Amino acid sequence: MLEHGAAPPAGDRDTRPPAPGGFGTRLMRRKPVERLVAEGGKGQGGELRRSMGVWQLTMISIGATLGTGIFVVLGEAVPDAGPAVVLSFVIAGVTALFSALSYAELAGSIPVSGSSYSYAYATLGELIAWVCGWCLVLEYGVSVAAVAVGWGEYLNELLNGVFGFTIPDALAQPPGDGGYFNLPALLVVLLAMAFLLGGAKESARANTVMVLVKIVALLLFCGVAVQGVRSGNYANFMPMGMAGVSAAGATLFFSYIGFDAASTAGEEAKNPQRDLPRAIMLSLVIVTALYCLVAAIAVGAMPWQKFKGSEAALAGIMKSVTGQGYWAVLLAFGAVVAIASVVLTVLYGQTRILFAMSRDGLMPKAFSKVHAGTGVPRVNTVVVSLFCGVLAAAVPLGELADATSIGTLFAFALVNVAVIVLRRTRPDMPRTFRTPLSPLFPAIGFLLCLYMMGSLDAVTWVVFGGWMAVGLVVYFGYGMRRSRLATAEK
């Protein structure tokens, strides 16, 4: 019998019977924090490698965040909010801030790959942890697909500016948007897969270069596009009222999942207790400031009505302001690199969450099998990449973005609750970062997440409900019986 907090060898198969107790007790079983930490990095046949410091973690967080909302989803959000889309970014950023504070506390206390799934497992019980993990699968998997869809738009801008041709819509748009198959979206996911298979350290280096390129690209946009700002474009600042601002904010919230991606690197960080909280907070401040600056200049340089249907809006603004195509080409190049960085880091986060769920027995063992030579969960990476690539090639962007937002908001809401619960159940546990004014700030974060979820349309809720129903079937049919807590603890 295992001692409290002890971690069994990763490859052992425990055949002992499930722990006694009623049905409700089994659903609420919690995994001790000490055991979560002790199992850190251990997979089937190998271990993840601790190779990242605070700089790499911050770059992962920025890489997963910066670019998504401003390069891709801006064209979806501006028609809802008008020039007040700047307020939408602020609302989404403030909502993210309260949740980020909770993430920072838990990431420093429970530095593991599962992110909010693992936090929920330690505090709220197995069923809630499963629901959270299932939301993260939706959040990350669909986010990769959504961003990959927008990558094709900027790739066409770049090809047109440099070579004078574009990929035909039939091969560059998904069904329903005038095409049959979005080939560029599939290609960028496969490219990210190739980087990830090379190892976490190598992927982090490539991501750092890409992050620096996209920051320069956005600053270049601000420096050029500000010349085209007209005060008249800010008139009728809130055409759809506060409801439109909230709806746009809910859509844009999908742009703020970067700090969650940083927390998934907990088992590959050199000093996660110290560096994860720093990376989370620093990246959120940098990203929110850049988002608001770029959005304010963009709606000032082009009437908000012209954003509708544009997934490469910033390149169009550069061309309109300067009357010269090479500026748009430069921005398109920056966007191609920027969005590829988002795909790389978010795909990384997805694989590590499935790794943690598999190690706990809630997902098939193949997802936690680690290649001894590279320290990478290869099967996991290939399966997830192929799934996300096909999804990106076949589903329109708008539907993907909203589905990602609701999964993100639900997971963040649970993290805020987890902080409150852990403060009550484990008040003396060491914490390298403490959420200010707890439980007030986590409660505010929780309520803001619910408010933003309420701003999403009915179709998104139907999709979310269907996804949750499928998840519960999988849990009760597979995960509940195979959970390592069920077979290893009495």
Side-chain angles (χ1 to χ4, degrees):
M1 181 174 177
L2 292 172
E3 294 180 2
H4 180 75
D12 285 1
R13 181 177 181 179
D14 199 322
T15 57
R16 285 175 289 183
F23 182 74
T25 302
R26 283 181 283 163
L27 297 182
M28 294 302 293
R29 56 194 171 209
R30 292 180 290 182
K31 189 170 183 178
V33 172
E34 292 79 8
R35 181 170 174 177
L36 279 167
V37 175
E39 291 181 352
K42 298 176 182 177
Q44 299 285 335
E47 295 188 10
L48 303 178
R49 296 175 179 174
R50 294 194 178 276
S51 59
M52 290 186 264
V54 66
W55 171 254
Q56 289 87 356
L57 293 170
T58 303
M59 290 299 103
I60 285 177
S61 188
I62 295 176
T65 308
L66 186 59
T68 308
I70 213 69
F71 281 114
V72 180
V73 190
L74 190 64
E76 298 280 336
V78 171
D80 287 336
V85 72
V86 179
L87 296 182
S88 300
F89 273 112
V90 172
I91 290 173
V94 169
T95 303
L97 173 61
F98 283 101
S99 295
L101 291 170
S102 295
Y103 262 97
E105 176 168 329
L106 292 176
S109 306
I110 314 174
V112 292
S113 290
S115 183
S116 49
Y117 154 76
S118 294
Y119 308 152
Y121 213 166
T123 56
L124 304 175
E126 186 173 281
L127 178 61
I128 301 299
W130 168 266
V131 170
C132 186
W134 195 246
C135 282
L136 291 173
V137 171
L138 175 69
E139 170 192 335
Y140 277 85
V142 177
S143 177
V144 169
V147 177
V149 170
W151 187 78
E153 296 289 330
Y154 278 100
L155 179 63
N156 264 340
E157 286 282 337
L158 182 61
L159 291 174
N160 185 47
V162 176
F163 302 108
F165 72 88
T166 60
I167 300 171
D169 282 350
L171 295 176
Q173 297 290 345
D177 277 2
Y180 298 104
F181 192 79
N182 193 330
L183 182 60
L186 175 60
L187 291 177
V188 72
V189 175
L190 295 180
L191 179 64
M193 179 186 75
F195 275 112
L196 291 176
L197 290 175
K201 185 176 182 179
E202 292 73 13
S203 300
R205 286 174 177 170
N207 174 67
T208 298
V209 174
M210 289 189 281
V211 167
L212 295 176
V213 168
K214 64 182 171 183
I215 290 176
V216 170
L218 287 173
L219 293 176
L220 175 66
F221 168 81
C222 293
V224 174
V226 71
Q227 303 171 48
V229 171
R230 301 290 181 267
S231 59
N233 289 334
Y234 295 112
N236 193 16
F237 185 70
M238 202 180 294
M240 309 298 177
M242 195 61 201
V245 173
S246 297
T251 296
L252 291 169
F253 193 83
F254 128 102
S255 309
Y256 284 91
I257 69 171
F259 59 83
D260 185 279
S263 70
T264 66
E267 295 175 24
E268 290 161 287
K270 295 176 182 177
N271 189 346
Q273 288 89 348
R274 182 196 67 188
D275 293 342
L276 282 175
R278 293 180 181 181
I280 288 170
M281 300 311 302
L282 180 60
S283 62
L284 184 63
V285 170
I286 293 172
V287 166
T288 302
L290 277 171
Y291 273 167
C292 292
L293 176 63
V294 174
I297 291 175
V299 293
M302 185 169 80
W304 67 270
Q305 297 90 341
K306 293 185 178 181
F307 280 82
K308 188 175 180 64
S310 174
E311 291 166 6
L314 299 189
I317 291 172
M318 292 279 275
K319 187 183 296 182
S320 174
V321 168
T322 64
Q324 297 174 340
Y326 66 86
W327 287 109
V329 171
L330 286 175
L331 187 76
F333 171 75
V336 166
V337 174
I339 297 170
S341 170
V342 177
V343 172
L344 174 66
T345 49
V346 176
L347 191 63
Y348 166 84
Q350 171 74 98
T351 61
R352 270 42 179 188
I353 288 165
L354 286 174
F355 173 85
M357 296 178 74
S358 171
R359 185 172 58 199
D360 291 333
L362 302 181
M363 285 285 187
K365 288 183 178 180
F367 287 106
S368 58
K369 187 175 182 180
V370 176
H371 186 267
T374 61
V376 172
R378 280 190 171 181
V379 174
N380 183 341
T381 301
V382 171
V383 171
V384 170
S385 299
L386 292 178
F387 172 79
C388 292
V390 172
L391 188 66
V395 182
L397 171 64
E399 298 174 21
L400 290 172
D402 283 349
T404 302
S405 286
I406 198 167
T408 305
L409 287 163
F410 189 82
F412 284 11
L414 291 179
V415 169
N416 285 297
V417 174
V419 166
I420 297 173
V421 171
L422 198 61
R423 284 284 189 97
R424 292 180 63 87
T425 58
R426 300 291 301 274
D428 299 325
M429 189 175 72
R431 291 169 170 85
T432 56
F433 178 89
R434 299 180 71 90
T435 304
L437 300 180
S438 181
L440 177 61
F441 275 18
I444 292 174
F446 174 77
L447 293 174
L448 284 173
C449 288
L450 294 186
Y451 171 73
M452 298 288 279
M453 290 177 71
S455 299
L456 294 168
D457 59 34
V459 174
T460 303
W461 276 96
V462 170
V463 171
F464 181 67
W467 179 256
M468 286 294 100
V470 172
L472 291 175
V473 170
V474 174
Y475 173 71
F476 287 113
Y478 180 91
M480 184 179 181
R481 294 182 295 107
R482 295 175 180 268
S483 163
R484 292 186 67 196
L485 283 189
T487 59
E489 295 180 352
K490 291 185 178 182

